[in-house]
Structures are given as C-alpha cells and as structure tokens.
C-alpha cells in the first residue's frame, strides 16, 4: 500500500542495497536466489511511517529520553523516520546543536532522525534565530514548539525569512494572555475539579493569526497538535481559499476528552461511551481523578472537539497524524496536577489509536490513513521519504491492522512511562520496521527474546 503512487494491491517488494528495487506481482522473480525472504501474507506493507512531532530530549534532558531510547520506541511503533523538536536544553537554535544531533542520531539512532530548528533564540520569543544557518545545517522546518511566538510582527518576519530559505514553519498555537496558567480545558470539568482552565480560544486565536500571516507572506504555516473544534473550522475555511496552511492531530486528542481528568469512572460513563458502547465497564482501564498522565498541552477537550478533530481528519482538513511524544520522568509527573509538566509519550500507541478511531471507526480508508503518516508529512517537510517508489530508501513498515494487544508498561522502549494508555486493549499494530533495508524491530524477534 503506497498512497504516494496510489498503489493498493497484492504485490511483492524487492529490496536491494538499502533501496526499493521493484514492486509488483513479479518483483520476487527478479530477486537473486540467495536473497532473504519475509513472508508478509495478510499484512499491510507500506512506506515507513513518519512522525513529524517528537521530543527526543537530547541534549540536556536525557533522564527523560535519549536518541537511543526515543528511536527504539519509534521503531516499535512502526516509525522509520521521526522529526525532533528543538525545545531541548540548550535549544536547537544554532548550527552546532543541529550537527550534534545529526552525529548522535547516526551513532545511536535506529531510525532516521530529522531535526527542526527554533524560530527564536533560546525559544524565548524575543529575537529571531539564525534561520539561514539553521537551514544550511540541515533543519527541515523551524518551530518554537512547547512555546509560541506571541509577537505577531516577529512571527511575520520569521515567515518572511523562512520563505527565503524555503523552510516550512510549524507552530504550537497558544495565546499566553488567554491561557495564562491554565492546566486543563476550560469548561465543565475544570470547574468541577477546581483546576485552572486553558480555553479553546487560546488555541484558535493563534490559528487565526497564522492564517492571516500565511496569507500575508505566502509562507506555509503548519499548526501543530490541533485540539479545538474552532481551530479545525478555521483551517477548513482558510484551505478552501487556498491559504498555505496545514494542520496535524494527535491520537490522545481524538480518543480522550477532558472528562478523563476526572478519573476513569467518570470518563467511561460520559464521553468514554463513544469508545466503549457496551453498558458494562468491566475490564476497562482504570485510573484515578487528577492523573497527570492526562495532562498535556494543548489539553484534552470536549466530546464536541474530539468529534470535530475526527471530522477534520476524515474530510482532509487535517492532513497529518503524529504523536507529540513528550517523555517525562516519573518523579516529575508524580506531583499535584498543577505542578506536573505537560505531555505524554505516544510513539508506541499512536498507530493503534489512529487505526481504532479512524479505520476501524469507519471514518478513513486505510490508504488515506497511511498517507497521513507517510506521503503527507514527507511533502510538507520535503523529506525524501514516505513512498515505496523504485529507487527510494527501503524504509518499510509492516502492519497488522487487526492485531489485538494490550499496551504494557513493562514493554515500553521509551525511557519514560508517562502514557495514559497502559492497560488499554488496542487494535492494530506494526509487526516489523525496516530502515534502509535493515530490520530494526520485529514483533517476532521480540517474542523469541522474551
Ligand atoms: Zn507543542
């Protein structure tokens, strides 16, 4: 299944010298006799998945994650390429840090690592980073992710520079004056729980700003991790007018809602019903109220927002799926909700959750879903990836869309365990991940090792 070439057929894939050598019914016949063979009958063979929103925490925060553990988690999730965010310590705002990550990724990474640079120096939102030198160092986009440039004039200049260097700009959409110190969605549940609210308007305001500036400058702006119905509506309207704007969504925002912060009992009898239509709550995952693994930025929102994000994915308004994989140590998350850092891990669960909500939920065809993890992010960032075309790097993911499995804390390859999905029964997963013709992860090998 190769959405870039509109291919969806039973076929063999021949890999030679790290490249795709042939695809088709007779591709196997072209293989030399000594070539290794993998029986993939019944599986989806697709271009290696790309996650364009990952926090690898290297340099500076390697207690949370490092390039070895982050790329291992990516491989387990079926990802052959990941794009890391620049909010490390120090921030990736100069050519030297970009080079350091490229070097470490070549040494310790098991999948391809692409790097984004910061928009502003030290991600402080005050002064532009040296965008030209970041481009020369090989960044694929710029973003202040984790933060958001508040000064609209500065953002305009960033877009103008980015256009000169043909770099897409990705933005974490958050208006600080509206959000202030909000820790969860502002609505019914934050009032019940006594937690400070993060209103949807805080996201929509910056999505609207980005649409205006994309229109003004002609630079492509990509809105990261959209969570609110109003953001999706604005994006849909702007795209219709031809504004160079795009968006991405993360599975937690279209699986969970803010009711989850009130605990599993409240969630399953309210918004959770959409995931589990049977009246019984037997054997469903449990968690307490105020569980900080349900705290992320932007926050989980209402059932209406969840539905709007799903609709945006279904009608093509949102073209890209990603995790916003954001590892944090246990000791950082095991504090009061107010004090915990935002974010959850996601590389190992995002494919299953996307398959469940979009494919098994009958909102998207499998090729359309795979496109949101392959050709679409590759096109946005001009990556030479995301296709099984002859001559392309042999990055391949094998998927069993119907495989049922439970995500267990003991099995995660990430250094951190801040996922809300431990104990969840999931459906669909990658069973092998191949990077440059080399198997970097297979479910079978793991079963044997265990
Ligand atoms: Zn972000």
């Amino acid at each position: 299944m190769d959405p870039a070439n509109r291919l969806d057929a039973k076929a063999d894939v021949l890999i030679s010298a790290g490249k795709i050598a042939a695809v088709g019914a007779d591709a196997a016949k072209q293989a030399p006799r000594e070539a290794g063979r993998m029986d993939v009958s019944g599986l989806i063979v697709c271009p290696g998945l790309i996650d364009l929103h990952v926090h690898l925490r290297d340099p500076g925060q390697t207690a949370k994650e490092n390039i070895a553990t982050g790329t291992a988690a990516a491989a387990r999730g079926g990802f052959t390429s990941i794009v890391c965010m620049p909010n490390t310590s120090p921030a990736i705002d100069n050519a030297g840090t970009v080079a350091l990550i490229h070097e470490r990724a070549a040494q310790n990474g098991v999948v391809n690592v692409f790097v984004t640079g910061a928009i502003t120096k030290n991600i402080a939102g005050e002064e532009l980073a040296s965008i030209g030198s970041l481009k020369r160092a090989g960044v694929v986009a710029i973003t202040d992710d984790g933060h958001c440039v508040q000064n609209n004039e500065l953002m305009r200049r960033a877009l103008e520079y980015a256009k000169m260097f043909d770099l897409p700009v990705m933005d974490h959409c958050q208006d600080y004056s509206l959000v202030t110190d909000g820790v969860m969605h502002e609505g019914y549940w934050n009032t019940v729980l006594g937690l400070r609210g993060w209103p949807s308007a805080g996201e929509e305001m910056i999505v609207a700003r980005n649409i205006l500036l994309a229109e003004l400058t002609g630079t492509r702006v990509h809105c990261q991790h959209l969570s609110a119905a109003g953001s999706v509506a604005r994006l849909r309207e702007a795209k219709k007018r031809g504004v160079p704007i795009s968006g991405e969504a993360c599975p937690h925002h279209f699986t969970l809602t803010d009711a989850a912060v009130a605990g599993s009992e409240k969630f399953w009898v309210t918004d959770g019903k959409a995931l589990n239509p049977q009246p019984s709550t037997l054997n469903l995952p449990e968690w307490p109220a105020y569980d900080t693994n349900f705290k992320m930025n932007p926050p989980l929102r209402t059932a209406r927002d969840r539905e709007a994000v799903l609709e945006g994915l279904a009608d093509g308004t949102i073209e890209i799926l990603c995790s916003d994989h954001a590892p944090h140590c246990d000791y950082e998350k095991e504090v009061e909700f107010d004090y915990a850092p935002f974010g959850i891990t996601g590389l190992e669960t995002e494919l299953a959750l996307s398959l469940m909500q979009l494919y098994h939920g009958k909102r998207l065809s499998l090729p359309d879903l795979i496109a949101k993890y392959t050709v679409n992010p590759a096109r946005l960032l001009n990556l030479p990836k995301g296709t099984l075309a002859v001559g392309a790097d042999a990055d391949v993911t094998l998927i069993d869309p119907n495989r049922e499995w439970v995500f267990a804390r003991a099995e995660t390859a990430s250094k951190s365990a801040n996922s809300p999905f431990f104990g969840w029964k999931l459906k669909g997963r990658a069973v092998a991940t191949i990077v440059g013709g080399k198997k970097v992860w297979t479910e079978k090998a793991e079963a044997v090792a265990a």
Side-chain angles (χ1 to χ4, degrees):
M1 191 174 281
D2 183 14
N5 290 309
R6 294 176 193 277
L7 176 74
D8 179 7
K10 224 179 212 183
D12 293 318
V13 177
L14 175 63
I15 293 172
S16 176
K19 303 278 181 191
I20 304 289
V23 178
D26 59 348
K29 288 192 197 119
Q30 302 174 38
R33 195 169 305 156
E34 69 278 13
R37 277 156 209 269
M38 266 180 103
D39 180 8
V40 296
S41 44
L43 299 177
I44 304 294
V45 179
C46 67
L49 306 183
I50 301 166
D51 186 336
L52 56 51
H53 194 148
V54 173
H55 296 273
L56 283 178
R57 306 301 192 202
D58 200 349
Q61 301 161 328
T62 48
K64 299 172 193 265
E65 194 79 283
N66 60 41
I67 287 174
T69 58
T71 58
R76 275 185 68 100
F79 291 83
T80 59
S81 292
I82 55 179
V83 179
C84 65
M85 293 295 114
N87 60 335
T88 48
S89 181
I92 309 175
D93 64 357
N94 65 84
T97 312
V98 177
L100 173 79
I101 293 165
H102 281 150
E103 198 182 300
R104 283 192 184 160
Q107 280 169 0
N108 307 323
V110 294
V111 306
N112 306 300
V113 175
F114 293 96
V115 183
T116 56
I119 298 174
T120 64
K121 284 186 186 159
N122 203 25
I123 311 199
E126 284 164 8
E127 200 184 337
L128 289 183
S130 305
I131 294 169
S133 107
L134 284 169
K135 166 82 182 187
R136 277 193 298 280
V139 301
V140 295
I142 51 171
T143 173
D144 269 5
D145 183 52
H147 294 82
C148 177
V149 176
Q150 299 295 294
N151 182 317
N152 299 329
E153 199 272 338
L154 188 66
M155 189 65 172
R156 175 194 176 167
R157 298 298 164 215
L159 297 193
E160 286 169 343
Y161 270 101
K163 194 179 185 193
M164 286 197 287
F165 298 109
D166 194 24
L167 272 176
V169 179
M170 312 207 286
D171 196 23
H172 164 121
C173 304
Q174 178 177 352
D175 183 297
Y176 293 172
S177 63
L178 282 172
V179 173
T180 63
D181 50 2
V183 295
M184 72 173 286
H185 174 65
E186 181 179 305
Y188 172 79
W189 286 111
N190 83 297
T191 311
V192 169
L193 295 167
L195 293 170
R196 288 185 302 271
W198 192 138
S200 297
E203 176 179 285
E204 290 168 48
M205 184 72 79
I206 299 294
V207 171
R209 181 275 304 262
N210 288 344
I211 290 168
L212 291 169
L213 293 181
E215 222 168 350
L216 177 66
T217 61
T219 307
R220 171 155 300 272
V221 184
H222 176 73
C223 298
Q224 299 179 284
H225 44 44
L226 294 175
S227 66
S231 303
V232 181
R234 278 175 183 79
L235 193 66
R236 183 179 290 120
E237 185 276 332
K239 285 179 75 163
K240 263 190 201 136
R241 288 189 291 116
V243 179
I245 189 112
S246 59
E248 68 185 34
C250 309
H252 46 271
H253 287 129
F254 58 79
T255 302
L256 300 168
T257 65
D258 59 345
V261 184
S264 52
E265 222 175 302
K266 293 276 192 311
F267 177 72
W268 291 120
V269 300
T270 57
D271 301 337
K273 271 189 193 153
L275 309 183
N276 179 57
Q278 295 105 327
S280 152
T281 52
L282 224 60
N283 295 326
L284 287 175
E286 287 175 30
W287 63 88
Y290 302 96
D291 185 333
T292 57
N293 286 327
F294 295 82
K295 178 177 178 182
M296 57 286 275
N297 185 357
L300 300 173
R301 299 205 188 271
T302 66
R304 192 181 138 259
D305 295 295
R306 176 177 66 184
E307 184 60 30
V309 171
L310 286 166
E311 277 168 18
L313 286 160
D315 72 10
T317 300
I318 302 173
E319 296 152 62
I320 290 169
L321 290 162
C322 61
S323 64
D324 188 10
H325 178 82
H328 292 293
C329 302
D330 286 349
Y331 75 85
E332 295 172 294
K333 277 289 200 181
E334 284 168 5
V335 294
E336 293 88 331
F337 201 88
D338 278 340
Y339 301 116
F342 292 98
I344 61 168
T345 58
L347 281 164
E348 293 162 303
T349 48
E350 61 179 306
L351 177 61
L353 293 165
S354 296
L355 285 165
M356 288 164 76
Q357 294 304 305
L358 297 164
Y359 170 63
H360 296 301
K362 302 203 183 341
R363 291 171 188 268
L364 267 187
S365 70
L366 206 44
D368 285 345
L369 190 157
I370 301 289
K372 290 184 199 291
Y373 274 125
T374 54
V375 60
N376 296 358
R379 273 193 196 138
L380 175 74
L381 302 179
N382 296 311
L383 308 180
K385 299 285 180 187
T387 174
L388 294 177
V390 171
D393 293 337
D395 294 352
V396 184
T397 301
L398 308 187
I399 297 171
D400 180 347
N402 297 312
R403 173 72 54 90
E404 294 190 349
W405 59 292
V406 175
F407 184 45
R409 190 185 163 109
E411 283 166 21
T412 182
S414 171
K415 210 166 184 180
S416 291
N418 52 313
S419 167
F421 296 111
F422 289 126
W424 282 56
K425 262 189 217 150
L426 303 174
K427 188 172 181 182
R429 77 177 298 185
V431 294
T433 307
I434 297 168
V435 176
K438 254 179 48 195
K439 277 180 235 171
V440 296
W441 181 78
T442 66
E443 194 187 34
K444 268 191 201 141
E446 193 161 87
V448 171

